[in-house]
Amino acid sequence: ALLVEQFGGETPENATKWGSVQPDPETWDFSAADSMLELAQEYDLRMKGHTLVWHSQLPSWVSESMSAEELSLAMETHFAEILPHFGSSVEDWDVVNEALEWNGAMRESIFYSKFGSAYVQDAFALAAKYAPHARLFYNDYSIEGINSKSDATAKLLEEIQKAGVPVHGVGLQMHLTHGNAPSREDISANIQRFGDLGLLVHISEMDVQIRHLQGPETDRFLAQAMTYYDVTAACVENSACEQLTFWGYTDRYSWIDSWFGEDDPLLYDEDLLPKAARDAVHQAL
Ligand code: G3I
């Protein structure tokens, strides 16, 4: 009830990843993704597909032992099944996720090792072939402010545009740690730089870690709220920034707890009550 009342869209956290939908070459499982789609359709939520090409959460049969030809065929088969499955019900797709290293170099991955850097552009072309209606996004972390990785992202996306291949937007994941996040000005300038390239910008996976902060919970939640405010304000002040998505909404369920340690990174507490962060987002909006 809270999700459909407070939010206008949803991104499956895991349900549309390659490993989830095609565990074996001949086995397709859309059950979890379809239940999210039903919710989206019933409550008029916009759903974003996440993510077609990523080095992580691949099915085990997609491995380095494949030849480039085999991997290419597997990719095309995957796109040809998943994109028409959702059709025009899912208008936005993360096509390539996390292709770059922190210093802007291409990330070593199965895709890079088999195809070189051309795979990024080829993935966008393939997505356009099987989802001609969709808006296609590149998504990554640590590209929130202006730095070598976001510079490399802008260059990569410009090259795709110059080749005449459709790319519509960029997702800044925004997995932040309070006290170690880029400033509002930095994020805003970065959003504007992508906007100047004609790209839409989504804040695509926001959460804010605070477990390292000392002091009473009220103070820690207020500090966290300031970070949420700054990011939301940076989005609001740029017309290119269209969407703000959080990687979960209640502290009851967050990937942060199992990856880094017990934390409270989201907008609602474990009892689904709004935190200062939720009010800060509302104020900035
Ligand atoms: O489904 C299995 C379950 O059967 C098994 O019992 C359990 C035991 O470990 O694991 C379950 O799978 C876990 C899966 O989440 C579903 O809960 C994986 O171990 C776990 O690694 C996986 O983590 C996901 C992570 O991506 C994988 O890299 C997180 O939930 C998900 O939030 C996270 O999301 C990513 C975005 O896609 C891309 N950007 C970064 C973001 C955070 O890492």
Side-chain angles (χ1 to χ4, degrees):
L2 182 68
L3 169 64
V4 300
E5 180 194 284
Q6 294 288 324
F7 298 89
E10 57 174 17
T11 305
E13 186 176 355
N14 291 298
T16 42
K17 290 173 179 172
W18 195 342
S20 303
V21 298
Q22 197 187 6
D24 296 307
E26 308 302 332
T27 308
W28 295 88
D29 180 2
F30 289 108
S31 50
D34 284 348
S35 66
M36 289 195 73
L37 181 61
E38 274 169 38
L39 186 81
Q41 291 179 329
E42 187 172 349
Y43 292 97
D44 201 21
L45 304 174
R46 198 177 170 89
M47 180 162 152
K48 188 180 199 182
H50 171 85
T51 173
L52 296 170
V53 173
W54 188 28
H55 62 274
S56 179
Q57 285 179 295
L58 288 167
S60 53
W61 58 273
V62 173
S63 74
E64 285 286 350
S65 66
M66 294 171 112
S67 67
E69 291 69 30
E70 286 167 337
L71 182 60
S72 173
L73 181 63
M75 266 175 75
E76 177 139 12
T77 308
H78 178 65
F79 279 47
E81 184 78 23
I82 189 169
L83 292 169
H85 176 87
F86 293 102
S88 56
S89 309
V90 175
E91 296 169 304
D92 295 338
W93 276 96
D94 285 332
V95 176
V96 177
N97 195 37
E98 301 172 5
L100 296 167
E101 295 286 1
W102 62 272
N103 62 359
M106 290 297 295
R107 177 195 286 273
E108 298 292 339
S109 71
I110 180 173
F111 303 103
Y112 184 63
S113 84
K114 301 292 171 188
F115 307 128
S117 53
Y119 84 84
V120 178
Q121 184 174 309
D122 292 349
F124 277 91
L126 206 54
K129 177 175 169 189
Y130 290 104
H133 59 275
R135 302 188 311 174
L136 309 176
F137 287 78
Y138 177 79
N139 192 54
D140 214 329
Y141 61 86
S142 298
I143 58 166
E144 286 74 28
I146 295 199
N147 57 38
S148 357
K149 188 170 176 182
S150 60
D151 288 350
T153 304
K155 196 163 158 258
L156 179 70
L157 300 185
E158 241 185 310
E159 280 164 11
I160 297 174
Q161 289 175 320
K162 281 190 189 134
V165 172
V167 51
H168 303 97
V170 57
L172 316 180
Q173 292 185 5
M174 210 62 75
H175 294 293
L176 301 180
T177 297
H178 177 80
N180 189 26
S183 67
R184 168 177 169 176
E185 291 71 25
D186 190 12
I187 296 170
S188 192
N190 190 39
I191 292 174
Q192 188 172 347
R193 160 261 283 278
F194 285 114
D196 289 345
L197 293 176
L199 295 165
L200 289 165
V201 177
H202 286 181
I203 308 298
S204 56
E205 307 181 12
M206 184 168 182
D207 44 34
V208 181
Q209 297 177 42
I210 53 166
R211 70 186 173 287
H212 58 292
L213 297 185
Q214 307 289 322
E217 184 179 272
T218 327
D219 293 355
R220 294 163 56 244
F221 281 8
L222 272 176
Q224 178 182 50
M226 289 162 63
T227 302
Y228 270 102
Y229 183 90
D230 284 350
V231 171
T232 309
C235 181
V236 169
E237 69 202 4
N238 282 283
S239 56
C241 190
E242 185 199 49
Q243 188 165 302
L244 178 58
T245 298
F246 309 93
W247 215 230
Y249 54 95
T250 159
D251 290 338
R252 199 187 293 181
Y253 310 112
S254 165
W255 72 288
I256 301 284
D257 291 339
S258 46
W259 282 63
F260 300 113
E262 279 291 304
D263 210 320
D264 298 301
L266 293 163
L267 300 183
Y268 292 84
D269 72 12
E270 299 198 351
D271 297 320
L272 298 170
L273 295 171
K275 293 162 64 186
R278 198 287 304 257
D279 297 340
V281 168
H282 278 203
Q283 274 172 31
L285 288 172

